[in-house]
Amino acid sequence: MSRIVKLMTVVLMVCLFPLTTYAEGWGYNKSKNGTTPDPGRYGPMIEQHHGFFMDPSKDRVVYLTFDNGYEQGYTGQVLDVLKEKEVPAAFFVTGHYIESAPDLLKRMADEGHIIGNHSWSHPDFTQSSKADMEKELKRVEEAVKEQTDQEIMTFLRPPRGTFNAQTLKWAEEFGYTHAFWSVAFVDWHTDRQKGWEYAYRSVMDQIHPGAVILLHTVSSDNAEALSQMIDELRKRGYRFGDLNEILMKQLVPAPVWGL
């Protein structure tokens, strides 16, 4: 095949399959013995657009985040524990959750937690147009603003953890910061719960300084393990931060961290 034919083939492929349709699935090599997880090439991709997956300072601080696609009856228990332990968290909500659990949504905001955007209908943004992505995010913003006193929505967790360079760029243009995670496990199958000890071990085995922990509130295991997780992390010298702290550390030079 001549060089001209090869070039024409590449051009045709780009036209038929534009780069925006290629999906990346967030992933990393998990932490072992407190080491920093390795996101490989994904690290520079999200950093370029000011996203994060952990606290860059690696301080002995962790961040609790929850994805809320629908309500299974455990979010109230989670909020009770957070209130009792005086721990902040971030809840990433969908349109279904906003419409089906408005009282819990309001309670999240009233008790000082961050409400983040998980899209209205949980689509794959890498298959969406820029206009459709913006509509999905705006609809969540407006609904949360109507029902709570949270005026600004800063953080985005992409549905299914799918993204690409284009969606990262678009989100930044919309004023969002991508909030990925560095500690997670398969916890969302409501018919495959394994007991609170399993959830507890799954988190503690991956914990590291600066960890952003992803949990799903549909898990009974998580709800029952949360109190023990918090107590043990504090015993190990960790404190709990909110995601705004990570944003601040991105803006402030590293030598100032901790002052």
Side-chain angles (χ1 to χ4, degrees):
M1 185 182 294
S2 69
R3 292 179 62 184
I4 294 177
V5 173
K6 287 181 180 179
L7 179 60
M8 291 177 65
T9 301
V10 170
V11 171
L12 178 62
M13 290 296 291
V14 170
C15 292
L16 291 176
F17 304 100
L19 292 177
T20 53
T21 66
Y22 286 88
E24 305 280 7
W26 174 248
Y28 49 88
N29 290 324
K30 293 182 179 180
S31 170
K32 294 181 180 179
N33 300 316
T35 59
T36 300
D38 180 10
R41 63 188 179 85
Y42 292 158
M45 284 182 69
I46 65 171
E47 287 174 9
Q48 181 181 354
H49 297 286
H50 304 100
F52 61 80
F53 72 101
M54 61 172 284
D55 183 331
S57 73
K58 302 179 186 177
D59 288 342
R60 211 161 180 79
V61 55
V62 295
Y63 303 84
L64 284 176
T65 70
F66 298 87
D67 283 4
N68 292 68
Y70 64 97
E71 180 53 42
Q72 189 71 6
Y74 303 113
T75 305
Q77 183 178 345
V78 167
L79 287 168
D80 289 344
V81 172
L82 296 175
K83 184 175 182 179
E84 176 191 352
K85 302 291 184 180
E86 298 183 337
V87 170
F91 292 87
F92 290 86
V93 299
T94 63
H96 180 277
Y97 195 89
I98 294 168
E99 292 186 328
S100 63
D103 292 344
L104 288 169
L105 183 78
K106 188 173 187 303
R107 184 179 169 189
M108 293 170 190
D110 289 347
E111 295 182 3
H113 302 297
I114 291 171
I115 300 175
N117 205 320
H118 200 38
S119 80
W120 187 264
S121 60
H122 210 259
D124 179 349
F125 283 147
T126 67
Q127 302 300 312
S128 301
S129 68
K130 183 177 183 180
D132 286 342
M133 181 177 175
E134 186 173 24
K135 287 178 184 177
E136 283 276 334
L137 300 179
K138 282 288 187 184
R139 195 171 177 188
V140 172
E141 283 179 40
E142 292 168 0
V144 169
K145 190 173 180 178
E146 286 176 3
Q147 297 189 36
T148 75
D149 60 0
Q150 180 173 297
E151 295 291 325
I152 299 173
M153 189 166 280
T154 305
F155 301 101
L156 166 63
R157 178 158 288 160
R160 309 167 198 172
T162 56
F163 68 101
N164 60 25
Q166 186 69 83
T167 61
L168 289 170
K169 180 175 181 291
W170 287 346
E172 188 176 23
E173 290 175 2
F174 300 150
Y176 275 95
T177 297
H178 265 78
F180 290 100
W181 58 90
S182 62
V183 173
F185 64 103
V186 178
D187 62 346
W188 56 86
H189 296 302
T190 59
D191 59 345
R192 301 181 202 171
Q193 299 295 288
K194 301 178 181 181
W196 74 265
E197 295 95 339
Y198 173 78
Y200 174 87
R201 289 194 305 271
S202 295
V203 170
M204 301 310 297
D205 287 350
Q206 299 179 61
I207 211 68
H208 62 90
V212 175
I213 303 169
L214 164 59
L215 299 170
H216 288 81
T217 56
V218 295
S219 166
S220 59
D221 290 352
N222 289 343
E224 294 169 10
L226 185 59
S227 181
Q228 290 89 342
M229 288 180 194
I230 292 171
D231 289 347
E232 179 60 24
L233 285 166
R234 281 177 166 157
K235 286 180 183 178
R236 297 187 187 186
Y238 286 94
R239 64 177 178 83
F240 292 86
D242 74 45
L243 297 184
N244 288 313
E245 182 176 335
I246 298 180
L247 283 190
M248 180 188 72
K249 289 177 178 178
Q250 287 180 327
L251 297 172
V252 175
V256 181
W257 291 341
L259 295 181

